[in-house]
Amino acid sequence: MTITTILALVVLVAVVVMRFSQTAPDPTALPALPDQITLPEGVTAEAVTFGKDWIAVISGDEILIHDSTTGALLKRIQVR
């Protein structure tokens, strides 16, 4: 039992040390976002999700997919 407790403590300390020693991501590696995204008439954004080359805007029962560089609307997906 003592050995198990000591091993668990060593693992816990190792995980904490590894987690805090990670460096922050390079801000220049983040994708460039458009200055603005124009939503269609009557659409209100409830949530926004960012992908590698797209931005999804969730509005009620609809998902709007926009280009991440230009902000242009690429696709509208109806959700049941």
Side-chain angles (χ1 to χ4, degrees):
M1 177 103 162
T2 304
I3 294 173
T4 304
T5 304
I6 292 170
L7 287 175
L9 183 61
V10 168
V11 168
L12 182 63
V13 168
V15 168
V16 169
V17 167
M18 287 188 307
R19 177 69 177 142
F20 283 112
S21 66
Q22 292 178 348
T23 59
D26 183 16
T28 59
L30 297 175
L33 297 175
D35 292 334
Q36 65 181 11
I37 293 177
T38 304
L39 298 176
E41 190 70 33
V43 173
T44 303
E46 295 177 8
V48 177
T49 300
F50 299 96
K52 183 177 179 181
D53 58 352
W54 52 267
I55 300 170
V57 178
I58 293 85
S59 174
D61 60 350
E62 188 172 44
I63 301 172
L64 305 160
I65 307 295
H66 294 267
D67 184 86
S68 66
T69 55
T70 64
L73 180 62
L74 300 175
K75 187 186 284 189
R76 290 178 91 154
I77 303 169
Q78 292 292 325
V79 181
R80 294 184 216 167

